[in-house]
Amino acid sequence: AQSVTQLGSHVSVSEGALVLLRCNYSSSVPPYLFWYVQYPNQGLQLLLKYTSAATLVKGINGFEAEFKKSETSFHLTKPSAHMSDAAEYFCAVRVYNTDKLIFGTGTRLQVFP
Amino acid sequence: NAGVTQTPKFQVLKTGQSMTLQCAQDMNHNSMYWYRQDPGMGLRLIYYSASEGTTDKGEVPNGYNVSRLNKREFSLRLESAAPSQTSVYFCASSDIGRAVGSQKYGYTFGSGTRLTVV
């Protein structure tokens, strides 16, 4: 069965610091991986997705993620945090041969001035 | 361009009451989904529908029923609400017909229904 694990339920950074949110996946087939962001009291918005093309994927709001097969990872990064990045972030994997997404438990990002 | 619309946005039920959460999408998507979100547990799939007239169980289907009324609408029903069903419910849709690599591939989520069962 495919799954994703997000390490760290809470991450705190200072404004301007590097953001690193961790996601590891488990899959016996090449996975399709996604990062979503949820702002308070809102639905989920797609940040970026990996669909077996380029391993470095660039998304919205300056975020990017690198697919590393050897490490079974798809970590989300942003060089310089902004206060508006404070939100909850979810990693997800598409179940093989379906359109179902399985989500990780989420990481809440806090950004301090 | 409304996307995915969920109603109601908030609801308080007493234990044992029933209710239906409504969801409609205007993007001509084939697939629709119901998720619940609970603190520390992420989003868990309740039911999904790959096309009109078909529905399948997800990770946590117990206590719920669904109905894919037509291509646009996918409703979630709680027949006898329990406090354990207090949660935020999200409806989503996607286009199963598009290649995953397509720029347009992905889920579109509604803004959620916050349900409290007392």
Side-chain angles (χ1 to χ4, degrees):
Chain A
Q2 291 163 287
S3 64
V4 289
T5 301
Q6 291 183 245
L7 301 176
S9 58
H10 290 82
V11 171
S12 297
V13 301
S14 298
E15 191 173 21
L18 171 71
V19 176
L20 171 61
L21 304 181
R22 300 178 185 272
C23 174
N24 288 88
Y25 69 89
S26 173
S27 179
S28 58
V29 297
Y32 294 141
L33 297 162
F34 303 79
W35 274 101
Y36 282 84
V37 60
Q38 183 182 33
Y39 298 103
N41 300 313
Q42 294 187 26
L44 277 72
Q45 179 182 0
L46 179 66
L47 271 178
L48 50 79
K49 61 186 177 188
Y50 168 75
T51 57
S52 75
T55 56
L56 181 62
V57 182
K58 295 187 183 297
I60 62 172
N61 302 338
F63 283 94
E64 62 182 36
E66 186 171 8
F67 174 75
K68 291 187 177 181
K69 184 178 179 180
S70 61
E71 299 178 6
T72 62
S73 69
F74 189 55
H75 302 330
L76 183 70
T77 60
K78 182 173 181 178
S80 177
H82 192 273
M83 297 294 289
S84 61
D85 294 327
E88 189 154 21
Y89 293 80
F90 293 93
C91 182
V93 62
R94 191 187 81 153
V95 177
Y96 178 71
N97 214 28
T98 75
D99 249 18
K100 296 190 291 183
L101 287 184
I102 301 298
F103 286 86
T105 53
T107 298
R108 185 169 298 279
L109 176 66
Q110 287 185 304
V111 182
F112 294 100
Chain B
N1 188 7
V4 177
T5 303
Q6 290 184 236
T7 55
K9 294 190 182 301
F10 300 94
Q11 184 71 48
V12 178
L13 290 179
K14 294 182 179 179
T15 298
Q17 286 186 317
S18 62
M19 79 160 295
T20 299
L21 281 64
Q22 306 287 351
C23 175
Q25 53 94 5
D26 62 0
M27 296 168 288
N28 202 34
H29 284 171
N30 287 308
S31 301
M32 298 186 72
Y33 315 81
W34 277 105
Y35 285 87
R36 61 176 289 173
Q37 182 180 21
D38 303 290
M41 304 189 76
L43 280 80
R44 292 179 292 169
L45 183 64
I46 304 172
Y47 271 94
Y48 71 102
S49 171
S51 63
E52 183 180 350
T54 67
T55 60
D56 284 290
K57 295 178 180 179
E59 303 166 83
V60 289
N62 291 343
Y64 305 95
N65 286 302
V66 290
S67 178
R68 184 74 182 268
L69 305 169
N70 48 54
K71 192 171 185 179
R72 289 187 65 248
E73 298 171 290
F74 188 39
S75 61
L76 178 71
R77 183 162 178 83
L78 286 72
E79 291 291 353
S80 179
S84 60
Q85 294 178 304
T86 293
S87 186
V88 181
Y89 291 84
F90 287 99
C91 179
S93 70
S94 71
D95 193 338
I96 197 171
R98 294 188 182 276
V100 177
S102 162
Q103 285 297 314
K104 294 186 177 182
Y105 185 91
Y107 274 31
T108 301
F109 283 83
S111 56
T113 296
R114 189 172 296 272
L115 175 67
T116 302
V117 183
V118 298

